[in-house]
Amino acid sequence: MIILGSTGSIGVNTLNIAREFELEVETLVAGNNYKLLNKQIKEFKPKNVVVSNKNIAQKIDFKNVKYGESAILDAIEESKSDLVINAIVGEAGLKPTLKTNECGKKLALANKESLVIAGKFVDTSKLTPIDSEHFGLWYLLNNRPIKRLNITASGGALRDYPIKKLHTATLDEVLNHPNWSMGMKITIDSATMVNKLFEVIEAKWLFGIDNIDAVIETSSTIHSFIDFVDGSTTAHIAYPDMRLPIAFAIMQEVKKEIVTHIDFNKLSQLEFREIDTQRYPIWQIKDEFIKNPDLGVVINTTNEIAINKFINKEINFGDISKMILKNVEKYNNIKIDSIEEIFEIQQQIKNDFK
């Protein structure tokens, strides 16, 4: 298999599955964590290694290490493996997704931005999502008439934070997630609810359904549930562990225990909360986004710019959602007919903030 983003949390868990099931790892692609990458190379002995830039490449214990975006795309095309795990963070994962499609390879996708930005141009026929919520939906679907798909949210690090103080929450507070240990960007996205907004659009493209909603479930034990037209509801319940969706994304069928079964005698309570637009202002555009998913490039590009500004202390936490909502209003009639237009709009938005 080809693992893009091998040193991130998804990549590390993918290698845990590779170790457990003795799967071959042909190609490792990583960013800046050269120390961890060197350990991965020593253990898994890949045939190809690609990193982000020349400076990092000089620190890698591998004979013919390559670097840069074009090298990643070449690795996808030239590798013999027919499975690509795309766990690259942010818009940088889009071109590898498109290249995987172009090469006719199977795609296990953790880079949700690919579908958010360019879902209409991505072939989902060979795509399996690496996401607890979408894995749960896939697991539950059984050709019965569906009324609504539902995914759950943790609520992020600020779910109990005083609303009056949300605007000025610090980076350390935003990164203190109650349920998960994740990368910086996705943890910030969890706090703003942008991550769940993206997952709604992922579900739209993956399952071809527009009636999608989300609710906060504070324990992250219920990952998704489906309302059927007969009035019944079925939920996917498991302890939060990304190895489960990863294992199915890689192998499609798993015949051994990946995670421990839940002991309901020890599960004290389940708490559900509505996603309040006062706490999560971004949620007010959920229905508009479903109706016009071309807004994805606007939302994602603005979000990445805003997050960088927040990290660099140029704006407050509350300004992330404000910047996105302002740009959604500016581009509310956007219609995209080609991949080239996506990259043009990305650049236009970046130029607006220079």
Side-chain angles (χ1 to χ4, degrees):
M1 76 182 81
I2 304 162
I3 304 178
L4 313 181
S6 70
T7 58
S9 60
I10 296 295
V12 168
N13 275 305
T14 300
L15 289 171
N16 288 338
I17 293 295
R19 182 186 301 111
E20 183 173 350
F21 289 89
E22 298 181 347
L23 304 175
E24 181 184 355
V25 177
E26 183 181 4
T27 301
L28 290 177
V29 175
N32 299 322
N33 191 345
Y34 65 91
K35 292 182 179 179
L36 178 54
L37 178 58
N38 281 331
K39 292 179 182 178
Q40 293 174 345
I41 292 169
K42 185 176 181 180
E43 178 179 359
F44 293 94
K45 298 177 175 56
K47 294 181 175 66
N48 310 298
V49 175
V50 183
V51 293
S52 57
N53 58 64
K54 187 176 181 179
N55 289 336
I56 297 297
Q58 293 171 348
K59 300 176 182 179
I60 304 302
D61 298 329
F62 192 79
K63 187 175 181 180
N64 190 27
V65 62
K66 298 178 181 178
Y67 60 89
E69 181 181 74
S70 60
I72 296 173
L73 303 182
D74 289 343
I76 293 170
E77 185 169 359
E78 295 167 5
S79 295
K80 294 180 181 180
S81 174
D82 68 346
L83 174 63
V84 177
I85 315 294
N86 186 353
I88 293 175
V89 176
E91 65 181 39
L94 174 57
K95 288 184 179 179
T97 289
L98 298 173
K99 173 59 74 171
T100 302
N101 274 179
E102 180 187 320
C103 295
K105 296 177 186 281
K106 291 183 289 186
L107 176 63
L109 186 66
N111 176 263
K112 62 192 65 181
E113 289 83 359
S114 292
L115 291 178
V116 169
I117 297 170
K120 65 162 61 173
F121 302 108
V122 175
D123 178 9
T124 59
S125 64
K126 290 187 175 183
L127 187 159
T128 305
I130 295 180
D131 204 317
S132 298
E133 292 79 7
H134 302 91
F135 166 69
L137 292 173
W138 169 81
Y139 206 96
L140 294 170
L141 286 168
N142 194 24
N143 295 320
R144 290 192 297 273
I146 296 167
K147 181 178 181 181
R148 182 173 60 188
L149 301 181
N150 304 278
I151 57 178
T152 61
S154 67
L158 305 180
R159 67 189 184 197
D160 298 312
Y161 202 81
I163 287 180
K164 291 181 180 180
K165 297 182 179 180
L166 276 175
H167 183 73
T168 55
T170 67
L171 180 59
D172 285 344
E173 290 170 326
V174 171
L175 295 179
N176 187 25
H177 197 283
N179 299 359
W180 302 91
S181 176
M182 307 180 293
M184 182 179 292
K185 180 184 181 295
I186 192 172
T187 308
I188 296 172
D189 285 344
S190 179
T192 60
M193 204 56 72
V194 166
N195 184 55
K196 209 52 51 179
L197 191 69
F198 285 179
E199 289 179 0
V200 165
I201 298 304
E202 273 191 281
K204 172 187 173 72
W205 291 120
L206 289 168
F207 304 111
I209 295 172
D210 283 358
N211 193 3
I212 310 162
D213 209 347
V215 64
I216 293 172
E217 192 276 287
T218 56
S219 73
S220 296
T221 303
I222 296 179
H223 304 291
S224 52
F225 52 98
I226 296 177
D227 295 332
F228 296 99
V229 295
D230 61 10
S232 63
T233 298
T234 305
H236 184 260
I237 306 173
Y239 285 123
D241 190 323
M242 288 307 297
R243 291 178 303 149
L244 188 59
I246 289 169
F248 273 90
I250 294 172
M251 297 179 288
Q252 298 301 304
E253 185 178 13
V254 178
K255 295 183 178 180
K256 63 179 288 187
E257 185 175 286
I258 301 296
V259 297
T260 304
H261 286 96
I262 287 178
D263 184 346
F264 286 93
N265 292 315
K266 295 179 180 178
L267 191 64
S268 58
Q269 66 177 21
L270 292 172
E271 179 187 4
F272 297 91
R273 303 181 191 176
E274 182 181 1
I275 299 177
D276 178 10
T277 55
Q278 191 175 2
R279 182 175 296 278
Y280 308 103
I282 200 70
W283 199 246
Q284 65 189 273
I285 62 171
K286 188 260 293 184
D287 291 336
E288 180 182 359
F289 194 9
I290 291 174
K291 290 177 183 177
N292 184 10
D294 286 349
L295 284 167
V297 62
V298 177
I299 296 170
N300 184 75
T301 306
T302 309
N303 182 55
E304 293 197 14
I305 293 168
I307 284 175
N308 285 331
K309 287 181 175 291
F310 172 59
I311 292 170
N312 293 326
K313 299 183 178 180
E314 297 174 31
I315 63 171
N316 288 319
F317 171 74
D319 293 320
I320 298 174
S321 294
K322 288 182 180 179
M323 286 174 62
I324 295 170
L325 293 173
K326 184 176 181 180
N327 254 6
V328 166
E329 184 176 355
K330 179 179 178 180
Y331 290 90
N332 68 326
N333 293 319
I334 191 172
K335 295 295 176 187
I336 295 174
D337 297 315
S338 69
I339 287 290
E340 289 73 25
E341 285 183 44
I342 287 176
F343 296 122
E344 289 171 6
I345 293 166
Q346 280 180 335
Q347 193 56 54
Q348 181 178 331
I349 293 171
K350 290 175 183 178
N351 290 340
D352 289 343
F353 286 101
K354 283 184 178 178

